[in-house]
Amino acid sequence: MTATSAFTTRSIGTGPSWVDYDNDSFLDLFVAGHTPQNHLWRNNGDGSFTKITNSAFVADIGDSEGSTWVDYDNDGFVDLFVCNVAPYKNILYRNNQDGTFAKTTNSALTSTIEDSYACAWGDYDNDGNLDLFLANGGVTHGKNSLFRNNGNGTFAKILTGGALSTTWST
């Protein structure tokens, strides 16, 4: 990790977001990396940032198009979902509550290639659990996806519904 007051990493980045991922009251910066990887800078609270190089989501290489931070498991710590386009799978990272993240691999969210360009969380069924909508294109022929949060760390893909049949081209 290197402390810096300027961001000097060269990369094609999409989907930047400010978030306090470590609950220290300072906003940190995440950039989904279009190529070759994602980037995270931890705010040191003094005007400088430390580039995090040893996290699960900065080590994963993919074609990331977007990301969203949300506390999907209601534990008080934000988790990260990263949208990827083919041939890469989307990835959900659960916050370990110690500044590190665990890659979730046994989820309907991450088991298929969705070719996702954008994502949004919301509680569409009013059960108190945040569900995930994916805006897809390419290999999925523009069919969007909706995943219902089962409230136990798992998700179920919803196969019918109005917005899911909407197509768009990239």
Side-chain angles (χ1 to χ4, degrees), residues 1-46:
M1 293 189 279
T2 306
T4 181
S5 59
F7 302 102
T8 58
T9 300
R10 290 185 156 199
S11 174
I12 298 173
T14 58
S17 56
W18 290 96
V19 63
D20 181 12
Y21 80 92
D22 52 4
N23 288 357
D24 65 357
S25 300
F26 299 108
L27 290 176
D28 311 295
L29 178 63
F30 176 80
V31 178
H34 186 59
T35 58
Q37 67 188 50
N38 300 313
H39 304 279
L40 175 66
W41 288 272
R42 183 177 52 81
N43 188 331
N44 297 323
D46 61 2

Coordinates of all heavy atoms in Angstrom, one line a residue, residues 1-46:
M1 N 0.8 -1.2 0.0 CA 0.0 0.0 0.0 C 0.9 1.2 0.0 O 1.9 1.3 0.7 CB -0.9 0.0 1.2 CG -1.9 -1.1 1.2 SD -3.1 -1.0 2.6 CE -2.2 -1.7 3.9
T2 N 0.5 2.2 -0.8 CA 1.2 3.4 -0.9 C 0.3 4.6 -0.6 O -0.8 4.8 -1.2 CB 1.8 3.6 -2.3 OG1 2.5 2.4 -2.6 CG2 2.7 4.8 -2.4
A3 N 0.7 5.5 0.3 CA 0.0 6.7 0.6 C 0.3 7.8 -0.5 O 1.4 7.9 -0.9 CB 0.3 7.3 2.0
T4 N -0.8 8.4 -0.9 CA -0.6 9.4 -2.0 C -1.7 10.5 -1.8 O -2.8 10.2 -1.3 CB -0.7 8.8 -3.4 OG1 -0.5 9.8 -4.3 CG2 -2.0 8.1 -3.6
S5 N -1.4 11.7 -2.3 CA -2.4 12.7 -2.3 C -3.0 12.9 -3.7 O -3.9 13.6 -3.9 CB -1.8 14.1 -1.9 OG -0.8 14.4 -2.7
A6 N -2.5 12.1 -4.7 CA -3.0 12.1 -6.1 C -3.2 10.7 -6.5 O -2.4 9.8 -6.1 CB -2.0 12.9 -7.0
F7 N -4.1 10.5 -7.4 CA -4.4 9.2 -8.0 C -3.6 9.1 -9.3 O -4.0 9.8 -10.3 CB -5.9 9.0 -8.2 CG -6.6 9.1 -6.9 CD1 -7.4 10.3 -6.6 CD2 -6.6 8.1 -5.9 CE1 -8.1 10.4 -5.5 CE2 -7.3 8.3 -4.8 CZ -8.0 9.4 -4.5
T8 N -2.6 8.2 -9.3 CA -1.7 8.2 -10.5 C -1.9 6.9 -11.3 O -1.1 6.6 -12.2 CB -0.3 8.4 -10.1 OG1 0.1 7.4 -9.1 CG2 -0.1 9.7 -9.5
T9 N -2.8 6.0 -10.9 CA -2.9 4.7 -11.6 C -3.5 4.9 -13.0 O -4.5 5.6 -13.1 CB -3.9 3.8 -10.8 OG1 -3.3 3.6 -9.5 CG2 -4.1 2.5 -11.5
R10 N -2.9 4.3 -14.0 CA -3.4 4.4 -15.3 C -4.2 3.1 -15.6 O -3.6 2.0 -15.5 CB -2.2 4.5 -16.3 CG -1.6 5.9 -16.2 CD -0.6 6.0 -17.3 NE -0.4 7.5 -17.5 CZ 0.1 8.0 -18.5 NH1 0.5 7.2 -19.5 NH2 0.2 9.3 -18.6
S11 N -5.4 3.3 -16.0 CA -6.3 2.2 -16.3 C -7.5 2.7 -16.9 O -7.9 3.9 -16.8 CB -6.6 1.5 -15.0 OG -7.6 0.5 -15.2
I12 N -8.3 1.9 -17.7 CA -9.6 2.3 -18.2 C -10.6 1.9 -17.1 O -10.7 0.8 -16.8 CB -9.9 1.6 -19.5 CG1 -8.9 2.0 -20.5 CG2 -11.3 1.9 -19.9 CD1 -9.1 1.2 -21.8
G13 N -11.2 2.9 -16.4 CA -12.1 2.7 -15.3 C -13.5 3.1 -15.6 O -13.7 4.1 -16.4
T14 N -14.4 2.4 -15.1 CA -15.8 2.7 -15.2 C -16.5 2.6 -13.9 O -15.9 1.9 -13.0 CB -16.6 1.8 -16.2 OG1 -16.4 0.4 -15.8 CG2 -16.0 1.9 -17.6
G15 N -17.6 3.2 -13.7 CA -18.4 3.0 -12.4 C -17.6 3.4 -11.2 O -17.6 2.6 -10.2
P16 N -17.1 4.6 -11.1 CA -16.4 5.0 -9.8 C -17.5 5.2 -8.7 O -18.6 5.6 -9.1 CB -15.7 6.3 -10.2 CG -16.5 6.9 -11.3 CD -17.0 5.7 -12.1
S17 N -17.1 5.0 -7.5 CA -18.1 5.2 -6.4 C -17.3 5.6 -5.1 O -16.2 5.1 -4.9 CB -19.0 4.0 -6.2 OG -18.2 2.8 -5.9
W18 N -17.9 6.5 -4.4 CA -17.4 6.9 -3.1 C -18.2 6.1 -2.0 O -19.4 6.0 -2.1 CB -17.6 8.4 -2.8 CG -16.7 9.2 -3.7 CD1 -17.0 9.8 -4.9 CD2 -15.3 9.5 -3.4 NE1 -15.9 10.5 -5.4 CE2 -14.9 10.3 -4.5 CE3 -14.4 9.2 -2.4 CZ2 -13.6 10.9 -4.6 CZ3 -13.1 9.8 -2.5 CH2 -12.7 10.6 -3.6
V19 N -17.4 5.5 -1.1 CA -18.1 4.7 0.0 C -17.2 4.6 1.2 O -16.0 4.7 1.1 CB -18.4 3.3 -0.6 CG1 -17.0 2.6 -0.9 CG2 -19.2 2.4 0.4
D20 N -17.8 4.5 2.3 CA -17.0 4.3 3.6 C -17.0 2.8 3.9 O -17.8 2.3 4.7 CB -17.6 5.1 4.7 CG -16.8 4.9 6.0 OD1 -15.7 4.3 6.0 OD2 -17.3 5.3 7.1
Y21 N -16.2 2.0 3.2 CA -16.2 0.6 3.3 C -15.7 0.0 4.6 O -16.1 -1.1 5.0 CB -15.5 -0.1 2.1 CG -14.0 -0.1 2.3 CD1 -13.3 -1.2 2.9 CD2 -13.2 0.9 1.9 CE1 -12.0 -1.3 3.0 CE2 -11.8 0.9 2.0 CZ -11.2 -0.2 2.6 OH -9.8 -0.2 2.8
D22 N -14.9 0.8 5.3 CA -14.3 0.3 6.6 C -14.9 1.0 7.8 O -14.4 0.8 8.9 CB -12.8 0.5 6.5 CG -12.3 1.9 6.2 OD1 -13.2 2.8 6.0 OD2 -11.1 2.1 6.1
N23 N -16.0 1.7 7.6 CA -16.7 2.4 8.7 C -15.8 3.3 9.6 O -16.0 3.3 10.8 CB -17.4 1.3 9.6 CG -18.7 0.7 8.9 OD1 -19.0 1.1 7.8 ND2 -19.3 -0.2 9.5
D24 N -14.9 4.0 9.0 CA -14.1 4.9 9.8 C -14.5 6.4 9.6 O -13.8 7.3 10.0 CB -12.6 4.7 9.4 CG -12.3 5.2 7.9 OD1 -13.2 5.5 7.2 OD2 -11.1 5.1 7.5
S25 N -15.6 6.6 9.0 CA -16.2 7.9 8.8 C -15.6 8.7 7.6 O -15.8 9.9 7.5 CB -16.3 8.8 10.0 OG -17.0 8.1 11.0
F26 N -14.7 8.1 6.8 CA -14.0 8.8 5.7 C -14.4 8.1 4.4 O -14.4 6.8 4.4 CB -12.5 8.8 5.9 CG -12.0 9.5 7.1 CD1 -11.5 8.8 8.2 CD2 -12.1 10.9 7.2 CE1 -11.1 9.5 9.3 CE2 -11.7 11.6 8.3 CZ -11.2 10.9 9.4
L27 N -14.8 8.8 3.4 CA -15.2 8.2 2.1 C -14.0 7.8 1.4 O -13.0 8.5 1.2 CB -16.0 9.2 1.3 CG -17.4 9.6 1.8 CD1 -18.0 10.7 0.9 CD2 -18.2 8.3 1.8
D28 N -14.0 6.5 0.9 CA -13.0 5.9 0.2 C -13.4 5.8 -1.3 O -14.6 6.0 -1.6 CB -12.8 4.4 0.7 CG -12.6 4.4 2.2 OD1 -11.6 5.0 2.7 OD2 -13.5 3.9 2.9
L29 N -12.5 5.6 -2.2 CA -12.8 5.6 -3.7 C -12.6 4.2 -4.3 O -11.5 3.7 -4.2 CB -12.0 6.6 -4.4 CG -12.2 6.7 -5.9 CD1 -13.6 7.1 -6.3 CD2 -11.2 7.7 -6.5
F30 N -13.6 3.7 -4.9 CA -13.6 2.5 -5.7 C -13.8 2.8 -7.2 O -14.7 3.6 -7.5 CB -14.6 1.5 -5.2 CG -14.6 0.2 -6.0 CD1 -13.7 -0.8 -5.8 CD2 -15.6 0.0 -7.0 CE1 -13.7 -1.9 -6.5 CE2 -15.6 -1.1 -7.8 CZ -14.6 -2.1 -7.5
V31 N -13.0 2.2 -8.1 CA -13.2 2.3 -9.5 C -13.3 0.9 -10.1 O -12.3 0.2 -10.0 CB -12.1 3.2 -10.2 CG1 -12.4 3.3 -11.7 CG2 -12.1 4.6 -9.6
A32 N -14.4 0.6 -10.7 CA -14.5 -0.7 -11.5 C -13.6 -0.6 -12.7 O -13.7 0.4 -13.5 CB -15.9 -0.9 -11.9
G33 N -12.7 -1.5 -12.8 CA -11.7 -1.4 -13.9 C -12.2 -2.1 -15.2 O -12.4 -3.3 -15.1
H34 N -12.3 -1.4 -16.2 CA -12.7 -2.0 -17.5 C -11.6 -2.9 -18.0 O -11.9 -4.0 -18.5 CB -13.0 -0.8 -18.5 CG -13.5 -1.3 -19.8 ND1 -14.7 -2.0 -19.9 CD2 -13.1 -1.1 -21.0 CE1 -14.9 -2.2 -21.2 NE2 -13.9 -1.7 -21.9
T35 N -10.4 -2.5 -17.8 CA -9.2 -3.4 -18.0 C -8.1 -2.7 -17.2 O -7.9 -1.5 -17.2 CB -8.8 -3.5 -19.5 OG1 -8.5 -2.2 -20.0 CG2 -9.8 -4.1 -20.4
P36 N -7.2 -3.4 -16.6 CA -7.3 -4.9 -16.4 C -7.9 -5.3 -15.0 O -8.2 -6.4 -14.8 CB -5.8 -5.3 -16.4 CG -5.1 -4.2 -15.8 CD -5.9 -2.9 -16.2
Q37 N -8.0 -4.3 -14.1 CA -8.5 -4.7 -12.7 C -9.2 -3.6 -12.1 O -9.2 -2.4 -12.5 CB -7.3 -5.2 -11.9 CG -6.4 -4.0 -11.5 CD -5.1 -4.5 -10.9 OE1 -4.5 -5.4 -11.3 NE2 -4.7 -3.8 -9.8
N38 N -9.9 -3.9 -10.9 CA -10.6 -2.9 -10.1 C -9.6 -2.2 -9.2 O -8.5 -2.7 -9.0 CB -11.6 -3.5 -9.3 CG -12.7 -4.2 -10.1 OD1 -13.1 -3.7 -11.1 ND2 -13.0 -5.5 -9.8
H39 N -9.9 -1.0 -8.7 CA -9.0 -0.2 -7.9 C -9.8 0.3 -6.6 O -11.0 0.7 -6.7 CB -8.5 1.0 -8.6 CG -7.8 0.6 -9.9 ND1 -6.5 0.1 -9.9 CD2 -8.2 0.6 -11.2 CE1 -6.1 -0.2 -11.2 NE2 -7.2 0.1 -11.9
L40 N -9.1 0.3 -5.5 CA -9.7 0.9 -4.3 C -8.6 1.7 -3.6 O -7.5 1.3 -3.4 CB -10.1 -0.3 -3.3 CG -10.6 0.2 -2.0 CD1 -11.9 0.9 -2.1 CD2 -10.8 -1.1 -1.1
W41 N -9.0 2.9 -3.2 CA -8.2 3.8 -2.4 C -8.8 4.1 -1.1 O -10.0 4.6 -1.1 CB -7.9 5.1 -3.1 CG -7.0 5.0 -4.3 CD1 -5.6 5.1 -4.4 CD2 -7.4 4.8 -5.7 NE1 -5.2 4.9 -5.6 CE2 -6.2 4.7 -6.5 CE3 -8.6 4.6 -6.3 CZ2 -6.2 4.5 -7.8 CZ3 -8.6 4.4 -7.7 CH2 -7.5 4.4 -8.4
R42 N -8.1 3.8 0.0 CA -8.7 4.1 1.4 C -8.3 5.5 1.8 O -7.1 5.9 1.7 CB -8.1 3.1 2.4 CG -8.7 3.3 3.8 CD -8.2 2.2 4.8 NE -6.7 2.1 4.8 CZ -5.9 2.9 5.5 NH1 -6.4 4.0 6.2 NH2 -4.6 2.7 5.5
N43 N -9.3 6.2 2.2 CA -9.1 7.6 2.7 C -8.4 7.6 4.0 O -8.9 6.9 5.0 CB -10.4 8.3 2.8 CG -10.3 9.8 3.1 OD1 -9.4 10.2 3.7 ND2 -11.3 10.5 2.6
N44 N -7.2 8.2 4.2 CA -6.5 8.2 5.4 C -7.0 9.3 6.4 O -6.5 9.3 7.5 CB -5.0 8.5 5.1 CG -4.4 7.4 4.3 OD1 -4.7 6.2 4.4 ND2 -3.5 7.8 3.3
G45 N -7.9 10.1 6.0 CA -8.5 11.1 6.8 C -7.7 12.4 7.0 O -8.0 13.3 7.7
D46 N -6.6 12.5 6.2 CA -5.7 13.6 6.3 C -5.5 14.3 5.0 O -4.5 15.0 4.8 CB -4.4 13.3 6.9 CG -3.6 12.2 6.1 OD1 -4.1 11.8 5.0 OD2 -2.5 11.8 6.6

